[in-house]
Amino acid sequence: MSLKLPIPLLFGALVFAATGSLLLYLAIDDMLDTSQFLSGASYGVGTVEDVRQHYQEIGSTARRSRTLVNSALIRLTLASGETVLVVHDYGLWEAELQTGQQVRLAYQAQAPEQAKLVNFAALWAGHIGMLVLGSLFVGAAYLLIRVFR
């Protein structure tokens, strides 16, 4: 069996396959990191003290862009009684946080200021989105090769 794909289609299929594979790798790696974080985490309840939107610059100095970010300042009371301020940036897929709202957080004892909100959207939605997108890219590569061979 030999492939008789035109070079541009073969190149496109390779780019799709590489991009999809990279997205799948990153998603799985991030999911494993999140799972490991949660397995050794302590849990506490925090109070949202402030919610605001601000622009964050992303990219290199040659190609900078600004994106709107929602941030919540949360006061977390640790098991020891100590309080820590946590900044939680949240995306469009997460529910809007309100000042005074009580939220559940997972944190590591050695770095409680890096606590994570405990809900499906905050912990897993981004990773699942990357898994789906990576699968679509790999599927598109497969279809290019399968249909045009």
Side-chain angles (χ1 to χ4, degrees):
M1 176 178 103
S2 67
L3 287 176
K4 295 178 182 143
L5 276 175
I7 297 296
L9 284 178
L10 183 59
F11 181 73
L14 288 173
V15 168
F16 279 172
T19 302
S21 298
L22 179 63
L23 286 171
L24 288 170
Y25 169 78
L26 292 173
I28 291 169
D29 187 53
D30 286 349
M31 289 176 98
L32 291 173
D33 287 347
T34 299
S35 194
Q36 186 177 21
F37 176 86
L38 292 174
S39 70
S42 298
Y43 295 88
V45 175
T47 304
V48 177
E49 298 221 333
D50 189 21
V51 178
R52 61 179 59 166
Q53 291 184 331
H54 60 91
Y55 283 96
Q56 180 177 350
E57 292 194 16
I58 57 172
S60 64
T61 53
R63 295 194 61 168
R64 266 206 180 342
S65 65
R66 291 169 41 126
T67 185
L68 187 62
V69 177
N70 296 313
S71 291
L73 183 64
I74 303 169
R75 181 173 302 279
L76 169 64
T77 303
L78 307 178
S80 64
E82 179 185 353
T83 60
V84 177
L85 289 177
V86 176
V87 177
H88 174 69
D89 292 337
Y90 59 97
L92 299 174
W93 57 87
E94 291 185 61
E96 190 76 25
L97 295 173
Q98 305 295 325
T99 302
Q101 180 179 352
Q102 298 284 312
V103 292
R104 189 163 182 239
L105 297 161
Y107 65 92
Q108 297 292 324
Q110 63 273 20
E113 65 281 349
Q114 295 175 358
K116 295 182 181 186
L117 210 58
V118 178
N119 67 37
F120 179 80
L123 293 173
W124 304 108
H127 308 317
I128 291 172
M130 271 202 310
L131 274 175
V132 169
L133 191 58
S135 299
L136 288 173
F137 271 95
V138 170
Y142 173 77
L143 286 176
L144 273 175
I145 291 172
R146 187 80 177 151
V147 171
F148 291 106
R149 69 180 173 131

PDB file of all heavy atoms in Angstrom, residues 7 10 14-15 19 39 46 53 57 61 66-67 69 78 82 87 98 103 106 117 119-121 127 130 137 142:
ATOM      1  N   ILE A   7       1.613  16.409  -2.119  1.00  0.00           N
ATOM      2  CA  ILE A   7       2.513  16.892  -1.060  1.00  0.00           C
ATOM      3  C   ILE A   7       1.816  17.880  -0.112  1.00  0.00           C
ATOM      4  O   ILE A   7       1.964  17.736   1.109  1.00  0.00           O
ATOM      5  CB  ILE A   7       3.799  17.517  -1.671  1.00  0.00           C
ATOM      6  CG1 ILE A   7       4.569  16.462  -2.445  1.00  0.00           C
ATOM      7  CG2 ILE A   7       4.658  18.161  -0.606  1.00  0.00           C
ATOM      8  CD1 ILE A   7       5.102  15.335  -1.608  1.00  0.00           C
ATOM      9  N   LEU A  10      -0.365  15.898   2.276  1.00  0.00           N
ATOM     10  CA  LEU A  10       0.456  15.106   3.186  1.00  0.00           C
ATOM     11  C   LEU A  10       1.062  15.995   4.266  1.00  0.00           C
ATOM     12  O   LEU A  10       1.052  15.654   5.450  1.00  0.00           O
ATOM     13  CB  LEU A  10       1.567  14.380   2.412  1.00  0.00           C
ATOM     14  CG  LEU A  10       2.450  13.454   3.234  1.00  0.00           C
ATOM     15  CD1 LEU A  10       1.620  12.359   3.898  1.00  0.00           C
ATOM     16  CD2 LEU A  10       3.525  12.845   2.364  1.00  0.00           C
ATOM     17  N   LEU A  14       0.355  15.900   8.299  1.00  0.00           N
ATOM     18  CA  LEU A  14       1.441  15.819   9.291  1.00  0.00           C
ATOM     19  C   LEU A  14       1.337  16.949  10.314  1.00  0.00           C
ATOM     20  O   LEU A  14       1.548  16.733  11.509  1.00  0.00           O
ATOM     21  CB  LEU A  14       2.799  15.849   8.594  1.00  0.00           C
ATOM     22  CG  LEU A  14       3.171  14.581   7.835  1.00  0.00           C
ATOM     23  CD1 LEU A  14       4.468  14.791   7.047  1.00  0.00           C
ATOM     24  CD2 LEU A  14       3.313  13.406   8.780  1.00  0.00           C
ATOM     25  N   VAL A  15       1.011  18.151   9.843  1.00  0.00           N
ATOM     26  CA  VAL A  15       0.860  19.288  10.759  1.00  0.00           C
ATOM     27  C   VAL A  15      -0.306  19.039  11.716  1.00  0.00           C
ATOM     28  O   VAL A  15      -0.192  19.261  12.924  1.00  0.00           O
ATOM     29  CB  VAL A  15       0.670  20.608   9.978  1.00  0.00           C
ATOM     30  CG1 VAL A  15       0.228  21.739  10.890  1.00  0.00           C
ATOM     31  CG2 VAL A  15       1.957  20.981   9.255  1.00  0.00           C
ATOM     32  N   THR A  19       0.179  18.647  15.721  1.00  0.00           N
ATOM     33  CA  THR A  19      -0.522  19.588  16.607  1.00  0.00           C
ATOM     34  C   THR A  19      -1.444  18.834  17.557  1.00  0.00           C
ATOM     35  O   THR A  19      -1.468  19.091  18.763  1.00  0.00           O
ATOM     36  CB  THR A  19      -1.328  20.605  15.780  1.00  0.00           C
ATOM     37  OG1 THR A  19      -0.438  21.295  14.903  1.00  0.00           O
ATOM     38  CG2 THR A  19      -2.040  21.611  16.669  1.00  0.00           C
ATOM     39  N   SER A  39      -4.345  14.719  45.203  1.00  0.00           N
ATOM     40  CA  SER A  39      -4.124  13.559  46.075  1.00  0.00           C
ATOM     41  C   SER A  39      -3.394  13.931  47.357  1.00  0.00           C
ATOM     42  O   SER A  39      -3.590  13.288  48.383  1.00  0.00           O
ATOM     43  CB  SER A  39      -3.360  12.468  45.328  1.00  0.00           C
ATOM     44  OG  SER A  39      -2.033  12.866  45.087  1.00  0.00           O
ATOM     45  N   GLY A  46     -12.902  29.191  51.652  1.00  0.00           N
ATOM     46  CA  GLY A  46     -12.456  30.564  51.526  1.00  0.00           C
ATOM     47  C   GLY A  46     -13.627  31.479  51.234  1.00  0.00           C
ATOM     48  O   GLY A  46     -14.690  31.036  50.803  1.00  0.00           O
ATOM     49  N   GLN A  53     -12.224  42.504  36.775  1.00  0.00           N
ATOM     50  CA  GLN A  53     -11.727  42.166  35.453  1.00  0.00           C
ATOM     51  C   GLN A  53     -10.534  43.066  35.160  1.00  0.00           C
ATOM     52  O   GLN A  53     -10.537  44.239  35.525  1.00  0.00           O
ATOM     53  CB  GLN A  53     -12.792  42.400  34.377  1.00  0.00           C
ATOM     54  CG  GLN A  53     -13.935  41.443  34.448  1.00  0.00           C
ATOM     55  CD  GLN A  53     -14.912  41.667  33.297  1.00  0.00           C
ATOM     56  OE1 GLN A  53     -15.047  42.767  32.802  1.00  0.00           O
ATOM     57  NE2 GLN A  53     -15.576  40.612  32.896  1.00  0.00           N
ATOM     58  N   GLU A  57      -1.429  41.092  29.473  1.00  0.00           N
ATOM     59  CA  GLU A  57      -0.685  41.012  28.222  1.00  0.00           C
ATOM     60  C   GLU A  57      -0.067  39.636  28.103  1.00  0.00           C
ATOM     61  O   GLU A  57       0.513  39.117  29.048  1.00  0.00           O
ATOM     62  CB  GLU A  57       0.387  42.098  28.168  1.00  0.00           C
ATOM     63  CG  GLU A  57      -0.216  43.482  28.073  1.00  0.00           C
ATOM     64  CD  GLU A  57       0.799  44.544  27.681  1.00  0.00           C
ATOM     65  OE1 GLU A  57       1.888  44.194  27.202  1.00  0.00           O
ATOM     66  OE2 GLU A  57       0.480  45.718  27.868  1.00  0.00           O
ATOM     67  N   THR A  61       7.482  40.044  23.048  1.00  0.00           N
ATOM     68  CA  THR A  61       7.515  41.492  22.861  1.00  0.00           C
ATOM     69  C   THR A  61       7.199  41.881  21.417  1.00  0.00           C
ATOM     70  O   THR A  61       6.671  42.947  21.166  1.00  0.00           O
ATOM     71  CB  THR A  61       8.899  42.066  23.250  1.00  0.00           C
ATOM     72  OG1 THR A  61       9.901  41.348  22.527  1.00  0.00           O
ATOM     73  CG2 THR A  61       9.147  41.941  24.732  1.00  0.00           C
ATOM     74  N   ARG A  66      -3.532  41.596  24.260  1.00  0.00           N
ATOM     75  CA  ARG A  66      -4.157  41.748  25.572  1.00  0.00           C
ATOM     76  C   ARG A  66      -5.418  40.903  25.611  1.00  0.00           C
ATOM     77  O   ARG A  66      -6.161  40.844  24.651  1.00  0.00           O
ATOM     78  CB  ARG A  66      -4.502  43.209  25.817  1.00  0.00           C
ATOM     79  CG  ARG A  66      -3.288  44.074  25.998  1.00  0.00           C
ATOM     80  CD  ARG A  66      -3.618  45.548  25.969  1.00  0.00           C
ATOM     81  NE  ARG A  66      -4.823  45.897  26.666  1.00  0.00           N
ATOM     82  CZ  ARG A  66      -4.904  46.822  27.618  1.00  0.00           C
ATOM     83  NH1 ARG A  66      -3.842  47.469  27.970  1.00  0.00           N
ATOM     84  NH2 ARG A  66      -6.047  47.099  28.190  1.00  0.00           N
ATOM     85  N   THR A  67      -5.613  40.262  26.733  1.00  0.00           N
ATOM     86  CA  THR A  67      -6.813  39.456  26.915  1.00  0.00           C
ATOM     87  C   THR A  67      -7.473  39.841  28.235  1.00  0.00           C
ATOM     88  O   THR A  67      -6.794  40.185  29.202  1.00  0.00           O
ATOM     89  CB  THR A  67      -6.491  37.945  26.871  1.00  0.00           C
ATOM     90  OG1 THR A  67      -7.689  37.212  26.932  1.00  0.00           O
ATOM     91  CG2 THR A  67      -5.580  37.532  27.997  1.00  0.00           C
ATOM     92  N   VAL A  69      -9.193  39.173  31.656  1.00  0.00           N
ATOM     93  CA  VAL A  69      -9.121  38.108  32.653  1.00  0.00           C
ATOM     94  C   VAL A  69     -10.012  38.475  33.834  1.00  0.00           C
ATOM     95  O   VAL A  69     -10.021  39.610  34.288  1.00  0.00           O
ATOM     96  CB  VAL A  69      -7.661  37.926  33.146  1.00  0.00           C
ATOM     97  CG1 VAL A  69      -7.578  36.886  34.238  1.00  0.00           C
ATOM     98  CG2 VAL A  69      -6.751  37.578  32.001  1.00  0.00           C
ATOM     99  N   LEU A  78      -6.695  28.318  56.704  1.00  0.00           N
ATOM    100  CA  LEU A  78      -6.059  27.002  56.715  1.00  0.00           C
ATOM    101  C   LEU A  78      -6.462  26.212  57.956  1.00  0.00           C
ATOM    102  O   LEU A  78      -7.024  26.761  58.899  1.00  0.00           O
ATOM    103  CB  LEU A  78      -4.532  27.164  56.668  1.00  0.00           C
ATOM    104  CG  LEU A  78      -3.962  28.025  55.547  1.00  0.00           C
ATOM    105  CD1 LEU A  78      -2.448  28.126  55.682  1.00  0.00           C
ATOM    106  CD2 LEU A  78      -4.341  27.462  54.201  1.00  0.00           C
ATOM    107  N   GLU A  82      -4.381  29.875  60.316  1.00  0.00           N
ATOM    108  CA  GLU A  82      -3.745  30.972  59.578  1.00  0.00           C
ATOM    109  C   GLU A  82      -4.588  31.316  58.350  1.00  0.00           C
ATOM    110  O   GLU A  82      -5.226  30.451  57.766  1.00  0.00           O
ATOM    111  CB  GLU A  82      -2.348  30.504  59.152  1.00  0.00           C
ATOM    112  CG  GLU A  82      -1.554  31.498  58.362  1.00  0.00           C
ATOM    113  CD  GLU A  82      -0.234  30.898  57.874  1.00  0.00           C
ATOM    114  OE1 GLU A  82       0.096  29.763  58.268  1.00  0.00           O
ATOM    115  OE2 GLU A  82       0.430  31.567  57.091  1.00  0.00           O
ATOM    116  N   VAL A  87      -5.203  34.422  44.798  1.00  0.00           N
ATOM    117  CA  VAL A  87      -5.754  35.037  43.586  1.00  0.00           C
ATOM    118  C   VAL A  87      -6.137  33.916  42.640  1.00  0.00           C
ATOM    119  O   VAL A  87      -5.310  33.073  42.297  1.00  0.00           O
ATOM    120  CB  VAL A  87      -4.726  35.980  42.916  1.00  0.00           C
ATOM    121  CG1 VAL A  87      -5.295  36.536  41.624  1.00  0.00           C
ATOM    122  CG2 VAL A  87      -4.344  37.103  43.862  1.00  0.00           C
ATOM    123  N   GLN A  98     -18.964  35.788  43.265  1.00  0.00           N
ATOM    124  CA  GLN A  98     -19.529  36.999  43.860  1.00  0.00           C
ATOM    125  C   GLN A  98     -18.802  37.318  45.164  1.00  0.00           C
ATOM    126  O   GLN A  98     -18.419  36.414  45.910  1.00  0.00           O
ATOM    127  CB  GLN A  98     -21.023  36.795  44.163  1.00  0.00           C
ATOM    128  CG  GLN A  98     -21.854  36.364  42.980  1.00  0.00           C
ATOM    129  CD  GLN A  98     -21.931  37.407  41.890  1.00  0.00           C
ATOM    130  OE1 GLN A  98     -21.950  38.600  42.172  1.00  0.00           O
ATOM    131  NE2 GLN A  98     -21.939  36.970  40.645  1.00  0.00           N
ATOM    132  N   VAL A 103     -16.316  29.534  49.013  1.00  0.00           N
ATOM    133  CA  VAL A 103     -15.855  28.575  48.004  1.00  0.00           C
ATOM    134  C   VAL A 103     -14.920  27.565  48.656  1.00  0.00           C
ATOM    135  O   VAL A 103     -14.238  27.866  49.631  1.00  0.00           O
ATOM    136  CB  VAL A 103     -15.130  29.277  46.824  1.00  0.00           C
ATOM    137  CG1 VAL A 103     -16.095  30.108  46.016  1.00  0.00           C
ATOM    138  CG2 VAL A 103     -13.962  30.118  47.307  1.00  0.00           C
ATOM    139  N   ALA A 106      -8.613  23.640  47.422  1.00  0.00           N
ATOM    140  CA  ALA A 106      -7.617  22.616  47.734  1.00  0.00           C
ATOM    141  C   ALA A 106      -6.260  23.308  47.740  1.00  0.00           C
ATOM    142  O   ALA A 106      -5.983  24.150  46.876  1.00  0.00           O
ATOM    143  CB  ALA A 106      -7.638  21.513  46.679  1.00  0.00           C
ATOM    144  N   LEU A 117      -9.458  26.308  43.217  1.00  0.00           N
ATOM    145  CA  LEU A 117     -10.888  26.171  43.451  1.00  0.00           C
ATOM    146  C   LEU A 117     -11.302  24.733  43.173  1.00  0.00           C
ATOM    147  O   LEU A 117     -10.878  24.150  42.183  1.00  0.00           O
ATOM    148  CB  LEU A 117     -11.623  27.114  42.500  1.00  0.00           C
ATOM    149  CG  LEU A 117     -12.951  27.688  42.932  1.00  0.00           C
ATOM    150  CD1 LEU A 117     -12.802  28.463  44.225  1.00  0.00           C
ATOM    151  CD2 LEU A 117     -13.499  28.577  41.857  1.00  0.00           C
ATOM    152  N   ASN A 119     -13.902  22.687  41.917  1.00  0.00           N
ATOM    153  CA  ASN A 119     -15.121  22.430  41.149  1.00  0.00           C
ATOM    154  C   ASN A 119     -14.690  21.892  39.789  1.00  0.00           C
ATOM    155  O   ASN A 119     -13.539  22.035  39.379  1.00  0.00           O
ATOM    156  CB  ASN A 119     -16.031  23.657  41.039  1.00  0.00           C
ATOM    157  CG  ASN A 119     -15.457  24.781  40.231  1.00  0.00           C
ATOM    158  OD1 ASN A 119     -14.779  24.567  39.228  1.00  0.00           O
ATOM    159  ND2 ASN A 119     -15.714  26.005  40.653  1.00  0.00           N
ATOM    160  N   PHE A 120     -15.607  21.240  39.123  1.00  0.00           N
ATOM    161  CA  PHE A 120     -15.282  20.567  37.869  1.00  0.00           C
ATOM    162  C   PHE A 120     -14.687  21.527  36.837  1.00  0.00           C
ATOM    163  O   PHE A 120     -13.676  21.232  36.213  1.00  0.00           O
ATOM    164  CB  PHE A 120     -16.524  19.877  37.296  1.00  0.00           C
ATOM    165  CG  PHE A 120     -16.261  19.193  35.991  1.00  0.00           C
ATOM    166  CD1 PHE A 120     -15.663  17.948  35.968  1.00  0.00           C
ATOM    167  CD2 PHE A 120     -16.589  19.800  34.797  1.00  0.00           C
ATOM    168  CE1 PHE A 120     -15.393  17.315  34.768  1.00  0.00           C
ATOM    169  CE2 PHE A 120     -16.327  19.178  33.595  1.00  0.00           C
ATOM    170  CZ  PHE A 120     -15.736  17.929  33.575  1.00  0.00           C
ATOM    171  N   ALA A 121     -15.313  22.679  36.666  1.00  0.00           N
ATOM    172  CA  ALA A 121     -14.868  23.611  35.636  1.00  0.00           C
ATOM    173  C   ALA A 121     -13.454  24.113  35.900  1.00  0.00           C
ATOM    174  O   ALA A 121     -12.617  24.154  34.997  1.00  0.00           O
ATOM    175  CB  ALA A 121     -15.838  24.789  35.533  1.00  0.00           C
ATOM    176  N   HIS A 127      -8.591  21.094  30.592  1.00  0.00           N
ATOM    177  CA  HIS A 127      -7.878  19.886  30.168  1.00  0.00           C
ATOM    178  C   HIS A 127      -8.728  19.045  29.218  1.00  0.00           C
ATOM    179  O   HIS A 127      -8.233  18.528  28.215  1.00  0.00           O
ATOM    180  CB  HIS A 127      -7.485  19.035  31.378  1.00  0.00           C
ATOM    181  CG  HIS A 127      -6.752  19.789  32.448  1.00  0.00           C
ATOM    182  ND1 HIS A 127      -5.750  20.698  32.177  1.00  0.00           N
ATOM    183  CD2 HIS A 127      -6.884  19.767  33.789  1.00  0.00           C
ATOM    184  CE1 HIS A 127      -5.298  21.188  33.318  1.00  0.00           C
ATOM    185  NE2 HIS A 127      -5.971  20.647  34.298  1.00  0.00           N
ATOM    186  N   MET A 130      -8.780  20.635  25.850  1.00  0.00           N
ATOM    187  CA  MET A 130      -7.559  20.339  25.082  1.00  0.00           C
ATOM    188  C   MET A 130      -7.567  18.912  24.557  1.00  0.00           C
ATOM    189  O   MET A 130      -7.102  18.657  23.450  1.00  0.00           O
ATOM    190  CB  MET A 130      -6.303  20.568  25.938  1.00  0.00           C
ATOM    191  CG  MET A 130      -5.801  21.972  25.847  1.00  0.00           C
ATOM    192  SD  MET A 130      -4.057  22.208  26.266  1.00  0.00           S
ATOM    193  CE  MET A 130      -3.837  21.403  27.795  1.00  0.00           C
ATOM    194  N   PHE A 137      -7.869  17.294  15.905  1.00  0.00           N
ATOM    195  CA  PHE A 137      -6.731  17.479  15.001  1.00  0.00           C
ATOM    196  C   PHE A 137      -6.206  16.137  14.498  1.00  0.00           C
ATOM    197  O   PHE A 137      -5.924  15.973  13.314  1.00  0.00           O
ATOM    198  CB  PHE A 137      -5.604  18.258  15.690  1.00  0.00           C
ATOM    199  CG  PHE A 137      -5.721  19.744  15.542  1.00  0.00           C
ATOM    200  CD1 PHE A 137      -6.335  20.501  16.517  1.00  0.00           C
ATOM    201  CD2 PHE A 137      -5.204  20.387  14.436  1.00  0.00           C
ATOM    202  CE1 PHE A 137      -6.443  21.874  16.390  1.00  0.00           C
ATOM    203  CE2 PHE A 137      -5.297  21.753  14.297  1.00  0.00           C
ATOM    204  CZ  PHE A 137      -5.927  22.504  15.274  1.00  0.00           C
ATOM    205  N   TYR A 142      -6.109  11.920  10.168  1.00  0.00           N
ATOM    206  CA  TYR A 142      -6.489  10.576   9.712  1.00  0.00           C
ATOM    207  C   TYR A 142      -7.416  10.658   8.499  1.00  0.00           C
ATOM    208  O   TYR A 142      -7.242   9.935   7.516  1.00  0.00           O
ATOM    209  CB  TYR A 142      -7.169   9.812  10.857  1.00  0.00           C
ATOM    210  CG  TYR A 142      -7.746   8.497  10.428  1.00  0.00           C
ATOM    211  CD1 TYR A 142      -6.915   7.405  10.226  1.00  0.00           C
ATOM    212  CD2 TYR A 142      -9.112   8.346  10.202  1.00  0.00           C
ATOM    213  CE1 TYR A 142      -7.431   6.185   9.811  1.00  0.00           C
ATOM    214  CE2 TYR A 142      -9.638   7.135   9.792  1.00  0.00           C
ATOM    215  CZ  TYR A 142      -8.793   6.064   9.594  1.00  0.00           C
ATOM    216  OH  TYR A 142      -9.301   4.865   9.175  1.00  0.00           O
TER     217      TYR A 142
END
